[in-house]
């Protein structure tokens, strides 16, 4: 026992003592170990020759491995030791990942991600010793083993007699109310002033704030405080869009609190989505990267990246892309999601395809495969996590791997009664300017580009192109636009707006719906401006239009965009026997809707994809 303790002592001293330029004291410790182990071997009774041989062999391998790592020659005594290269491969890759040469670092991360034959301890060595760049790179490598990622550090205990709801309230009260718009103030005030019970009663027991259709009874079901925590998270999401507020969130323990909620509500997609939105927004601030990594969020995002749920994987991909300053120069702000490629890739990206949904749509839900449901209000209120199919991410990415595919999300409502923020009145002009800034930050316009839009999203595309054509700093976006696809876009207005006016007591039409009326001056001006802009531009246009009515609720049957309204005046106009919801949802990959869309993208980007 004494001999073993002495060996341990000398080994630890060798591992912890700083290097000395004048002498090499570690060799004295090595000699002491050899003397002790030698006396043990020679003096012990019953130890066989084979055992002594294996012990000496093990010592020699340790020393030889150290020499290979440090690139120092051995004394003649050890120079003839034969050591397999894989014995020190882990350490050599780790050293390579810390190189000053970027190409060497990227190669090291790629080789690590392709290692599937290592022992558990070898993955743990990398996890414990790698730097921030390497860890993020591994998280963004498709084949990486999850054993590269250590479990998040233990979270601090909640204060005595405190709850998650109270901790969230405390975090909110610590955030400034400066630099925030009326909606942020509204979200914050609501979250701080209401309890889940009083809020449900205030809403009449029918709808929760946010227009997501959460019943009163459900707020007292699986997670009693989940409703109020959702309100708090909505407010924190808004605060996290302001850089100085992100610093406050981090300084006041927000990363740890959000992680606790993330672990608690793993089966609650709405809560998880808002938490990942906050982390993704904080990751836009590079000086916060060490705090985000050290708190264990990279491990959680690496796991989420492998999720089969498109929403979860896409939110994680956005966060990690914002953390990856090694290979990503773009910054993805809230609501801008890369569907492909979500991992690091050696495939050159030659063009972008950008998807923009319409009224009551979403970045993932809008572009799913066609289903049998045709009730607009019911579909608008359902959780998007129920839809696991997103054809741009699956079919289009497979058919066109050289594309970067982006989907955009923004808030809309049919009525002010169901608006997420009652003080918010966002016109098409306001939204287009906001989206333009986000898209330019994401590098949209730096490559050849095809726009794909549904319903009101097409009006946003038209407005963005018109506005960009008037700004010198947006000239690249105009010159790189190769084509636009419009799925049932109401260029000349929609019957939905007329119906809303006649049945105001039912819908209380929102500003978005009012702008869709046929006599809207803004809509007519936009159409005239776009045609004037497009006449001397060399880009292609493809229009689809529905021919079947759409059911709104159980009593209303409406042809949302008639053929005459979907006729832009330029480009092909193709009627399709589907309703307004399904005009952008192909039934199968072989369906005409998808194949004609794919053909347009291929033909429009043919020269760019060949280069």
């Amino acid at each position: 026992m004494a001999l073993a303790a002495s060996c341990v002592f000398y080994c630890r001293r060798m591992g912890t003592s700083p290097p000395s330029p004048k002498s090499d004291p570690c060799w004295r410790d090595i000699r002491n170990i050899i003397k002790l182990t030698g006396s043990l071997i020679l003096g012990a009774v019953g130890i066989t020759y084979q055992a002594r041989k294996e012990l000496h062999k093990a010592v020699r391998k340790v020393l030889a491995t150290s020499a290979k790592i440090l690139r120092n020659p051995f004394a003649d005594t050890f120079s003839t030791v034969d050591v397999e290269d894989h014995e020190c491969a882990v350490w050599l890759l780790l050293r390579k990942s810390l190189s000053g040469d970027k190409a060497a670092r990227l190669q090291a991360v790629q080789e690590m991600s392709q290692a599937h034959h290592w022992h558990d301890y070898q993955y743990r060595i990398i996890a414990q010793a790698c730097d921030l760049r390497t860890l993020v790179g591994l998280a963004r490598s498709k084949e990486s083993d999850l054993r590269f990622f250590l479990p998040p550090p233990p979270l601090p205990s909640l204060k005595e007699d405190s709850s998650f709801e109270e901790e969230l309230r405390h975090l909110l009260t610590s955030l400034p109310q400066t630099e925030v718009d009326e909606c942020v103030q509204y979200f914050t005030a609501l979250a701080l002033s209401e309890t889940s019970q009083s809020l449900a009663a205030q809403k009449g027991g029918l709808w929760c704030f946010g227009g997501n259709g959460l019943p009163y009874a459900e707020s007292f079901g699986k997670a009693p405080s989940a409703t109020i925590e959702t309100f708090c998270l909505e407010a924190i999401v808004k605060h996290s869009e302001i850089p100085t507020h992100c610093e406050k969130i981090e300084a006041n323990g927000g990363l740890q609190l959000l992680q606790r909620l993330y672990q608690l509500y793993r089966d609650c997609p709405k809560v998880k989505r808002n938490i990942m939105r906050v982390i993704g927004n904080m990751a836009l601030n590079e000086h916060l990267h060490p705090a985000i990594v050290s708190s264990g969020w990279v491990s959680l995002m690496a796991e989420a990246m492998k999720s089969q749920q498109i929403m979860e994987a896409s939110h994680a991909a956005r966060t990690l892309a914002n953390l990856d300053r090694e290979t990503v120069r773009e910054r993805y702000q809230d609501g801008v999601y890369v569907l492909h490629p979500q991992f690091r890739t050696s495939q050159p990206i030659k063009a972008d395809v950008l998807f923009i949904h319409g009224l009551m749509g979403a970045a993932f839900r809008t572009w799913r495969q066609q289903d049998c449901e045709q009730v607009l209000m019911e579909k608008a209120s359902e959780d998007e996590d129920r839809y696991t199919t997103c054809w741009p991410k699956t079919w289009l990415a497979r058919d066109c791997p050289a594309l970067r595919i982006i989907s955009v999300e923004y808030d809309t409502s049919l009525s002010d009664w169901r608006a997420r923020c009652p003080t918010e009145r966002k016109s098409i002009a306001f939204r287009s300017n906001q989206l333009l800034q986000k898209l330019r930050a994401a590098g949209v316009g730096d490559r050849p580009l095809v726009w794909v839009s549904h319903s009101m999203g097409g009006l946003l595309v038209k407005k963005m192109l018109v506005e960009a054509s008037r700004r010198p700093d947006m000239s690249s976006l105009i010159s790189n636009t190769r084509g636009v696809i419009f799925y049932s876009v109401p260029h000349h207005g929609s019957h939905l707006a007329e119906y809303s006016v006649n049945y105001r007591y039912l819908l209380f039409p929102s500003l978005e719906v009012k702008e869709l009326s046929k006599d809207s001056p803004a809509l007519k001006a936009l159409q005239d401006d776009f045609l004037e802009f497009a006449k001397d531009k060399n880009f292609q246009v493809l229009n689809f239009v529905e021919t079947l009515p759409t059911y709104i609720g159980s009593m209303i049957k409406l042809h949302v965009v008639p053929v005459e309204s979907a006729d832009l005046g330029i480009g092909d106009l193709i009627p399709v026997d589907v309703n307004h919801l399904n005009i952008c949802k192909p039934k199968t990959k072989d369906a005409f809707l998808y194949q004609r869309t794919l053909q347009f993208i291929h033909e429009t980007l043919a020269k760019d994809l060949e280069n």
Side-chain angles (χ1 to χ4, degrees):
M1 290 296 290
L3 288 172
S6 299
C7 289
V8 170
F9 169 76
Y10 287 123
C11 288
R12 287 186 175 177
R13 192 166 71 176
M14 288 166 56
T16 58
S17 60
S20 172
K22 296 182 179 180
S23 62
D24 196 358
C26 68
W27 286 107
R28 291 197 297 270
D29 294 323
I30 293 173
R31 284 196 297 269
N32 288 331
I33 293 173
I34 294 173
K35 289 178 182 179
L36 292 170
T37 54
S39 63
L40 172 64
I41 294 169
L42 295 175
V45 178
I47 296 183
T48 65
Y49 169 78
Q50 184 63 30
R52 294 197 303 272
K53 181 179 177 182
E54 291 299 322
L55 183 56
H56 280 295
K57 183 179 178 181
V59 173
R60 287 197 302 270
K61 282 199 173 185
V62 170
L63 297 176
T65 301
S66 301
K68 280 197 172 186
I69 296 165
L70 300 175
R71 302 296 188 192
N72 289 331
F74 275 127
D76 294 338
T77 312
F78 301 103
S79 60
T80 58
V81 177
D82 56 341
V83 179
E84 299 294 335
D85 287 341
H86 73 268
E87 293 286 347
C88 58
V90 173
W91 291 101
L92 290 174
L93 280 177
L94 186 59
R95 179 178 177 175
K96 190 176 179 181
S97 72
L98 301 174
S99 168
D101 180 15
K102 180 179 177 179
R105 294 196 302 268
L106 295 178
Q107 180 65 27
V109 171
Q110 183 179 356
E111 291 178 19
M112 288 179 186
S113 69
Q114 294 170 351
H116 303 294
H117 59 279
W118 289 354
H119 298 291
D120 286 351
Y121 78 90
Q122 292 175 301
Y123 292 101
R124 294 306 178 200
I125 287 173
I126 298 293
Q128 292 170 345
C130 71
D131 63 358
L132 184 154
R133 290 180 306 201
T134 302
L135 188 65
V136 172
L138 287 170
R140 295 196 68 238
S141 299
K142 189 172 185 178
E143 302 301 325
S144 284
D145 195 298
L146 288 178
R147 287 175 290 179
F148 279 120
F149 308 98
L150 296 173
L155 297 171
S157 301
L158 287 176
K159 297 177 182 178
E160 190 174 353
D161 299 327
S162 181
S163 65
F164 291 127
E165 178 183 328
E166 290 168 336
E167 292 291 328
L168 279 172
R169 287 170 181 263
H170 177 73
L171 179 60
L172 270 179
T173 57
S174 71
L175 299 179
Q177 289 303 305
T178 57
E179 305 178 50
V180 296
D181 59 24
E182 291 181 349
C183 275
V184 179
Q185 296 175 13
Y186 172 81
F187 284 132
T188 304
L190 182 65
L192 293 175
S193 64
E194 302 292 343
T195 64
S196 55
Q197 294 89 342
S198 65
L199 182 61
Q202 176 183 323
K203 292 294 180 181
L206 292 175
W207 303 99
C208 81
F209 155 95
N212 289 320
L214 184 66
Y216 173 79
E218 186 177 327
S219 67
F220 298 97
K222 300 176 183 177
S225 63
T227 305
I228 197 67
E229 285 166 0
T230 299
F231 306 153
C232 291
L233 285 171
E234 288 277 5
I236 295 174
V237 167
K238 293 294 183 181
H239 280 284
S240 68
E241 294 177 358
I242 305 170
T244 55
H245 292 207
C246 288
E247 296 173 5
K248 291 286 186 181
I249 293 172
E250 189 276 325
N252 293 317
L255 289 171
Q256 290 76 22
L257 179 59
L258 292 173
Q259 191 176 125
R260 190 185 298 277
L261 286 173
Y262 185 88
Q263 301 285 11
L264 180 65
Y265 291 106
R266 278 190 172 273
D267 297 326
C268 185
K270 289 180 184 176
V271 172
K272 287 180 65 177
R273 176 183 59 196
N274 282 332
I275 291 173
M276 287 195 283
R277 285 176 67 190
V278 174
I279 304 302
N281 290 343
M282 294 180 70
L284 291 167
N285 304 279
E286 196 165 346
H287 65 282
L288 294 179
H289 288 185
I292 295 172
V293 173
S294 62
S295 60
W297 275 106
V298 173
S299 299
L300 297 175
M301 293 299 104
E303 181 182 358
M305 282 280 281
K306 297 182 182 297
S307 171
Q308 296 300 310
Q309 298 295 325
I310 289 174
M311 181 274 293
E312 183 177 357
S314 298
H315 278 278
R318 171 182 169 251
T319 298
L320 290 171
N322 286 336
L323 288 172
D324 187 3
R325 296 300 90 192
E326 184 88 319
T327 63
V328 181
R329 71 176 186 273
E330 300 86 0
R331 296 181 182 273
Y332 297 100
Q333 298 183 25
D334 192 31
V336 181
Y337 302 100
V338 176
L339 301 180
H340 173 80
Q342 293 186 335
F343 296 94
R344 285 186 178 181
T345 177
S346 58
Q347 168 74 54
I349 301 301
K350 299 181 178 180
D352 291 340
V353 175
L354 182 64
F355 288 80
I356 301 183
H357 66 77
L359 197 63
M360 301 300 289
F364 317 111
R365 179 177 68 206
T366 293
W367 312 106
R368 67 186 184 272
Q369 281 180 264
Q370 180 177 327
D371 47 44
C372 59
E373 295 288 342
Q374 295 183 333
V375 182
L376 178 61
M377 299 301 287
E378 288 182 5
K379 280 298 168 194
S381 68
E382 288 184 355
D383 289 331
E384 64 190 13
D385 67 286
R386 298 183 188 179
Y387 305 98
T388 59
T389 302
C390 180
W391 60 263
K393 185 179 186 301
T394 52
W395 303 341
L396 186 58
R398 195 176 301 118
D399 289 333
C400 302
L403 297 178
R404 180 178 64 157
I405 303 172
I406 293 178
S407 188
V408 171
E409 184 160 283
Y410 57 97
D411 299 320
T412 63
S413 60
L414 284 177
S415 69
D416 284 342
W417 177 67
R418 286 177 56 85
R420 296 177 67 251
C421 175
T423 65
E424 190 172 49
R425 299 291 186 273
K426 290 187 176 180
S427 64
I428 290 175
F430 178 89
R431 292 186 189 279
S432 68
N433 183 64
Q434 191 179 53
L435 282 177
L436 261 180
Q437 301 303 322
K438 291 185 175 183
L439 293 176
R440 282 303 295 139
V444 173
D446 294 341
R447 302 184 186 93
L449 170 65
V450 170
W451 304 77
V452 182
S453 59
H454 174 234
S455 190
M456 192 185 84
L459 302 180
L460 282 174
V461 170
K462 290 166 63 178
K463 186 65 175 177
M464 282 190 282
L465 289 174
V466 169
E467 290 300 317
S469 69
R470 298 168 178 169
R471 295 175 51 177
D473 61 318
M474 295 283 182
S475 60
S476 64
L477 187 143
I478 298 301
S479 61
N480 275 322
T481 292
R482 300 289 190 266
V484 186
I485 297 176
F486 295 110
Y487 289 110
S488 281
V489 173
H491 301 292
H492 306 284
S494 169
H495 291 315
L496 178 64
E498 299 171 7
Y499 203 95
S500 300
V501 172
N502 295 332
Y503 292 85
R504 190 179 299 273
Y505 69 93
L506 259 183
L507 291 177
F508 301 102
S510 62
L511 178 58
E512 296 103 319
V513 172
K514 291 176 183 177
E515 285 192 318
L516 298 182
S517 61
K518 289 188 175 181
D519 57 352
S520 168
L523 199 62
K524 186 177 186 307
L526 175 59
Q527 173 68 2
D528 294 341
D529 289 344
F530 184 77
L531 290 179
E532 179 69 20
F533 151 78
K535 68 180 182 181
D536 60 345
K537 298 294 185 298
N538 186 27
F539 62 81
Q540 304 300 312
V541 175
L542 177 63
N543 302 278
F544 292 100
V545 62
E546 76 230 36
T547 61
L548 301 179
T550 302
Y551 288 88
I552 303 177
S554 57
M555 299 183 298
I556 303 173
K557 184 179 179 181
L558 183 64
H559 199 158
V560 179
V561 179
V563 173
E564 59 271 19
S565 182
D567 187 358
L568 176 63
I570 54 175
D572 294 337
L573 177 63
I574 302 176
V576 184
D577 291 334
V578 293
N579 64 21
H580 188 68
L581 285 178
N582 290 330
I583 189 66
C584 57
K585 300 175 179 63
K587 283 186 178 181
T588 66
K589 189 175 180 180
D590 296 327
F592 171 77
L593 262 176
Y594 175 72
Q595 289 300 322
R596 184 66 184 88
T597 298
L598 179 63
Q599 178 187 357
F600 178 86
I601 292 173
H602 271 149
E603 292 175 352
T604 304
L605 295 173
K607 293 182 179 179
D608 302 298
L609 295 178
E610 288 175 2
N611 294 334

